[in-house]
Amino acid sequence: MAASPLASAPVMAAYRYCEAVTALQARNFSYGIRLLPEAKRLGMSALYALARRVDDIGDGDLPAERKAEQLLRTRELLDEIRAGAVSEDDTDPIKVALADAARRFPIPLGGFDELIDGVEMDLKGAEYRTFEDLKVYCRCVAGSIGRLSLGVYGCEDPKLGAEYADTLGLALQLTNILRDLREDAVNGRTYLPTEDLVRFGCEQGFALSEPPVGADFTGLIAFEAERAQRAFEEGLRLLPMLDRRSRACTAAMAGIYHRLLGRIAADPGSVLRGRVSLPGWEKAYVALSGLAGGRS
């Protein structure tokens, strides 16, 4: 990475750390982020690195009270950034990089507070009785990332763009929920709405590698996949509102998840046998298609 005249050596080192976190822990995300020009790529890496930290707190093995403490400290970190109180020699590289990114771009940092709200829902064992309940959670843990990203990308119509970003986040999170159905069940989590589980006879859950006896599991997955597909179609209206490189980045990330959704819809039982994924070559193809103007 070439040194930027707008960033000191400590700040660039902080950005390098965030880029390493993104490349190592967010392979789907990193395929799109590589398509951005340097300043936006650095800003997005800083966004992702803090989002990854919040997710890791929620998914880690610490007791709930320790997780709550760490989430509170993350909120305090955001307050420091908002107050412009982060020095370049701070020992937390993510804080340093995000503080610099927030000076360069109009990033709506409140999106991180929403992300933390979503993780706290998980810690409290929140259940989602209706789809409307689940949409609130998805807005927190996925729509928030889309709205944060728009602060870096820029958008012709920020208000409408934020609505589309929320809907695209819903599509991505629904795909995640379907992909991780078995893994979440083993960990005692169920994200699909209770009303849907009852409708398709799947109240027993998905802790086994076979569908619940007598359940219309295929019907459930088809129903949820169609719901996610509609959200993709609505959310992808965001693309024409972005500049070419930001559009390519978004199209690449969305395209990878859209293809995952297609695999799940074609073989519903796959989500009970293991995590559905795409090979690296296919992710790279989707990213290049996004750069060329394709949507998936």
Side-chain angles (χ1 to χ4, degrees), residues 18 27 39-40 73 89 91 93 100 120 129 163 203 205 233 267-269 278 292:
C18 293
R27 293 180 181 176
K40 291 185 178 183
R73 284 200 291 272
D89 59 355
T91 57
D100 185 76
E120 288 177 339
R129 186 177 60 83
E163 294 177 7
E203 306 97 311
E233 292 171 359
D267 182 10
L278 301 182

Side-chain angles (χ1 to χ4, degrees), residues 87-187:
S87 65
E88 291 186 353
D89 59 355
D90 192 284
T91 57
D92 184 344
I94 295 176
K95 184 197 298 187
V96 172
L98 185 58
D100 185 76
R103 285 190 291 267
R104 294 171 183 263
F105 302 103
I107 298 171
L109 293 173
F112 283 114
D113 291 291
E114 291 184 78
L115 175 60
I116 294 171
D117 290 341
V119 173
E120 288 177 339
M121 291 180 196
D122 281 334
L123 296 184
K124 295 173 183 176
E127 296 182 358
Y128 308 101
R129 186 177 60 83
T130 68
F131 181 56
E132 291 303 313
D133 295 336
L134 180 61
K135 283 171 68 176
V136 172
Y137 173 76
C138 292
R139 174 184 170 84
C140 287
V141 300
S144 62
I145 305 302
R147 284 177 272 114
L148 285 162
S149 300
L150 284 185
V152 175
Y153 294 156
C155 183
E156 293 178 357
D157 185 337
K159 183 177 180 181
L160 183 58
E163 294 177 7
Y164 287 146
D166 259 341
T167 304
L168 188 56
L170 173 63
L172 300 179
Q173 190 61 27
L174 288 175
T175 303
N176 264 337
I177 288 170
L178 293 176
R179 182 194 64 184
D180 298 341
L181 199 64
R182 174 82 188 283
E183 180 180 332
D184 288 334
V186 171
N187 291 324

Side-chain angles (χ1 to χ4, degrees), residues 22-23 25-33 176 179 249 252-254 256-257 260 275-279 283 287:
T22 303
Q25 300 189 38
R27 293 180 181 176
N28 288 348
F29 190 85
S30 65
Y31 277 93
I33 208 172
N176 264 337
R179 182 194 64 184
C249 177
M253 291 186 285
I256 288 170
Y257 278 90
L260 283 174
R275 174 173 286 205
V276 181
S277 63
L278 301 182
K283 293 178 183 179

Side-chain angles (χ1 to χ4, degrees), residues 22 27-37 40-45 47 149-150 152-153 168 172 236 238-239 242-257 283 286-296:
T22 303
R27 293 180 181 176
N28 288 348
F29 190 85
S30 65
Y31 277 93
I33 208 172
R34 294 172 192 168
L35 304 176
L36 294 170
K40 291 185 178 183
R41 187 177 71 247
L42 295 176
M44 288 296 290
S45 294
L47 289 183
S149 300
L150 284 185
V152 175
Y153 294 156
L168 188 56
L172 300 179
L236 285 170
L238 172 66
L239 295 183
L242 305 177
D243 65 72
R244 179 173 178 267
R245 302 275 287 273
S246 299
R247 181 167 62 247
C249 177
T250 304
M253 291 186 285
I256 288 170
Y257 278 90
K283 293 178 183 179
V286 172
L288 290 174
S289 295
L291 189 60
R295 280 171 46 147
S296 59

Side-chain angles (χ1 to χ4, degrees), residues 2 8 24 26 77 89 102 105 140 181 198 200 209-210 217 239 257:
S8 66
L24 181 64
L77 176 156
D89 59 355
F105 302 103
C140 287
L181 199 64
V198 172
F200 292 95
S209 59
E210 296 292 332
F217 178 76
L239 295 183
Y257 278 90

